[in-house]
Amino acid sequence: MSSIRSNPEGLSVLDRPNSYIGKTVPRPNLDRLLQGRGCYVSDIELPRMAHVVFVRSPHAHAKIVSIDAAAARQMPGVNAIVTGKELAAVITPWVGVLSHLKGLKSAPQSAIAVDRVCWQGEAVAAVVATSRAAAEDAAECVAVEYQALEAVTDMRTALDPATPVIHASLGDNLAFERILDAGAVDQAFAGSDAVVEAEFVFGRHTGVTLEPRSVVADWNAAEARLTIYQGTQAPHMVQNIAALHLGLWEQQVRVVCKDVGGSFGIKVHIYADEMATYALTKLLRRPIKFVADRVESFNTDIHARDHRCKGKIGVNRDGIITAFEIDDLTGIGPYSMYPRTSAIEANQVVNLVGGPYTCKNYRARARVVFQNKNVMCQYRAVGHPIACSVTEGLVDLAAMKIGMDPVEIRRRNLIADDAYPCASPSGLRFEQLSHHASLAKIVEMMNYQALRAEQAELRKRGVHRGIGVASFIEVTNPSAAFYGVGGAKISSQDGVAVRLDAQGSVICQTSITEQGQGSESLTAQIVGSALGVSMDRVRVILGDTDATPYGGGTWASRGAGIGGEAALQATKILRRNILDVAAAILQSAPAELDIVDNAVVSAGDGAPRIDLSELARIVYFRPDTLPPGIQPELMATRHFVPREYPFAFTNGVQAASVEVDIDTGFVKLLKHWVVEDCGTIVNPQLVDEQIRGGVVQGLGAALFEKCVYDEKGQLTNANMADYLVPMSGEMPDIDVGHVVSPTRESELGAKGAGEAGAAGAAAAVTNAVNDALKPFGTTITEIPLTPQVILTALGRI
Amino acid sequence: MKASAFAYARATSVANALELLAVHGEKARVLSGGQSLIPAMNLRLVAPDLIVDIGELAELRGIAVRGETLVIGALTRHADLLKSSDIVKCAPLLAAAVAHIAHPAIRNRGTIGGSLAQADPASELPACMLALGASIVVRGPGGEQRMAAEDFFTGIYETRLAAQDLLVAVELPLARRGSAHFFQEFARRHGDYAIVGLAAQAALQGEGFADLRLGYFSVGDKPVLAKAASKLAGVAITPALLAEASDALSHELDPHGDQQATPAMRRHLAKVLLARCVASLLNRPDLHIGGVS
Ligand SMILES: Cc1cc2nc3c(=O)[nH]c(=O)nc-3n(C[C@H](O)[C@H](O)[C@H](O)COP(=O)(O)OP(=O)(O)OC[C@H]3O[C@@H](n4cnc5c(N)ncnc54)[C@H](O)[C@@H]3O)c2cc1C
């Protein structure tokens, strides 16, 4: 394990005089966004720009017999109508597999369907016109003749011999299977005082970003360059893929990512309609805009979490957990998503189940099957909510079985805070976690004993409250182990360049991106702190492959931990370079100087020596006055990627207090608590709001959100009235506390915080609801916990 | 999600609006608050050739007490109902109900006329009209007529309004001394259409009801004025009697199933509402099922 790197200046960045690290400071982009001066893709208007609307399949599975666009071509404002076959001339198909996910298979997917559609909503033709409205008018006139094919919809029968195989070339509907067997599971179950089993069912849901997916693609034939304006989390990944499939060099593709209205993992993938838009601009030689509407978003934005997972836990009377076993099944739609694949979620479930606990006996099977539904892929906290709900649901069932308090059983099984480094049965390596400190803290924050007393008192009066607890671990700061080792050109390293401008301000270019979580702010905070300049003198540039270093972007809770460390290291070099020049100008030694508040000062007494603006003036305009042999370098670049640990695991615990109306099945969320440990906290408010935002998405999963498909593969609630996103009116207060165990892989010590909230919220609520229902002898292991589900479980209807 | 092309006319008077509707018939649509019509057009569920915007017809807006009648103009917005002291005094049930319609932005535009003409079976206001014994005032080519709310709603999104008709106002009897109301709905989130709801108006007498009108919504293809209520009027209410009325209600209702609830669940929730309504109106916690809520 690496130790804290020695600091050439002998100054820890965290205790510098004007440090912004660890402070809640306003985000630099706030005024711009609040004054309506943000620039989202739909704000971009280019000369000669046309709009594309996709004719989408109404069938889940069908042969395309014919496409008659003659009438539509005559409609006012129509530029072109392009089919999948025609588009194939400019863009090649792709297959979403990764070599480290052994056995994962998928079929070639085209930008626009050719001959066959595999889910309701897949594009069959592109209509390009002068406005979105004109394109929609024409799209209604494109006559597509389909021959319906049998749709594979139920994941439980997808592998049956009688079920049609969606892609004949693959032989069956099994995309991926993973089996893990650690310790001595059978022996452990046999020797347990009690064994409990349950099947956990999760509703398929989706991310519902406020701003839908949008692209403006502009092929400049004269320059032979493609510019893609897109709300994406990974500009360099988009650059690589667009170039690869359009037959271009990466340097011929520029990806510009301006403001993004939420992403949550939805915008980290390569979608067929976006690829089609890149191809259309090349084919038609004019800028093309695609902005998904809400119905399209529901039908084509990736879905997630559609799992059925059988779980089994062994426990002894003293509360010690003896073994975990799971059998997970998930249906991912007709293709594995490109390029991150749709096997990662199930793979994560296998990795993470039982993760917080000392138990070494663990067996798992996960199967990933194809179906004729929209594609599933990575969405905030990939796999974590499944793994956490299964694990924590089983732990509560075990506690109930032996009559032990849910907090107590966790106390007896969580990995000890001084047991690190250590590894999980699935091979995950933990550098330093703080399960016990976190549990102790949350018990205190929620006043657990008092809540239990109140619960007992109210129960006598027919009021049914429940308390639920869920410990969790979270994957953050991924190294190349996530995607790179599997052959995907998705960078796990990030780069930052910082330079002093001619007035002594700092320009910082970073490869991480901003989608609202505060990447821009945390970068400026780190640069300002490390250099000794005020934040308003730091300008951060992100989201442009022409203007930033090469890097991964913002996903998998990596922005602060990886991009932040690159910013810190780059700034330290710049600082050293500035002090070298200052020493030359001042005839001093770098070690005797420091930078505080935009000026070089004496390290000893803080006396001002030279303003950065004056230093910059000399360097840029009067270099002739510098001593001979001095060539100032007021720009520095550093990259960073974790190397010791494949992932920086974080941990935490969530708790929920709920009230169940046993006559109506309605659940009222009374309060929610989270304690998490993301290491060094750069900006407490940003971290807390990341946690709260994630919790709200988890609460959505617990109570509201579900993509409802019928047996024919039709998504029946693809609108904001029927697909229930969590809204503020139903949300409880969410108290957030922290334990801080910095990672020693970086000097900054920051791990990720973006997904912890989503990881454990549903588990805590489900456990709370089951706690409330305890007097009725029923347990529910299905989410969302709708009134219908609860009333049914209670036998009321 | 763009509406297909349509022509637009801003009506200058009620007569002008009626003229336009007479000429264009089924091809025209009245635009009031637009909170139901515009989303439907953007989803291309409806594609009228002509929109007749009645938004400027001041004569259709406003709340007034005329003798024993409360008159509410068709263009009166949900937000106006919520703020009006006349409503609080003369028809407090409406004030209670309107708070459950959607969200402030929608209540600022949506109108009572639009809501009643839309006749969504899950809407609050149509059920209130049943409970309050309202008359719907309609003007058409043949002049003005009044329809009892009970006859007005004929099915899902269906009323007795013809394509040439304009709903101009509703008339309600003023709340009398001894009257009481109850409003509750079960919705998954604040502002959502209800899974089941109840708008009830009662005349109290002694320990019981002289009259009880139960307007259920979201229990079928149109709002229902429950006949089971008659079992509870003019008698001393016992748990046994309430159970009997509850059974009758259950037989009377023929609710639909959807993604939120099966018919059985709707029946169950309607019965829960009945018990809560009676317990609350008579201040009899013993009749309330399900503890405090
Ligand atoms: C997100 C959202 C949530 C909502 N939630 C609820 C809810 O919980 N409960 C609820 O009750 N409603 C809800 N609504 C609907 C809202 O209350 C509408 O305001 C109402 O249904 C229609 O009123 P409007 O004035 O907007 O009518 P419009 O949308 O203008 O018209 C609706 C229909 O009525 C016809 N029409 C309108 N006025 C007249 C008239 N004077 N004469 C003849 N025909 C006429 C129109 O031609 C059209 O067909 C919601 C709406 C939205 C967008």
Side-chain angles (χ1 to χ4, degrees), chain B residues 29-37 54 74 78 100-102 106 110-111 113-115 117-118 123-124 161 165-167 191-193:
Chain B
R29 277 294 179 107
V30 173
L31 174 68
S32 188
Q35 298 304 292
S36 296
L37 182 59
I54 59 170
H78 304 328
H100 293 267
I101 300 179
I106 293 152
T111 65
S115 176
Q118 179 72 14
S123 268
E124 289 80 359
L161 279 177
D165 290 342
L166 199 60
L167 193 163
D192 280 355
Y193 281 105

Side-chain angles (χ1 to χ4, degrees), chain A residues 38-107:
Chain A
C39 184
Y40 299 87
V41 171
S42 37
D43 294 320
I44 293 170
E45 295 289 339
L46 299 177
R48 298 176 58 252
M49 188 176 81
H51 298 254
V52 61
V53 160
F54 293 97
V55 177
R56 295 187 180 275
S57 168
H59 300 281
H61 197 193
K63 257 175 86 165
I64 303 169
V65 179
S66 64
I67 300 175
D68 180 357
R73 280 204 177 88
Q74 303 308 314
M75 301 276 292
V78 172
N79 301 112
I81 294 175
V82 182
T83 64
K85 271 199 195 88
E86 289 161 349
L87 204 62
V90 283
I91 189 161
T92 55
W94 55 88
V95 181
V97 294
L98 286 168
S99 62
H100 68 307
L101 297 168
K102 298 266 176 310
L104 169 61
K105 58 188 196 247
S106 187

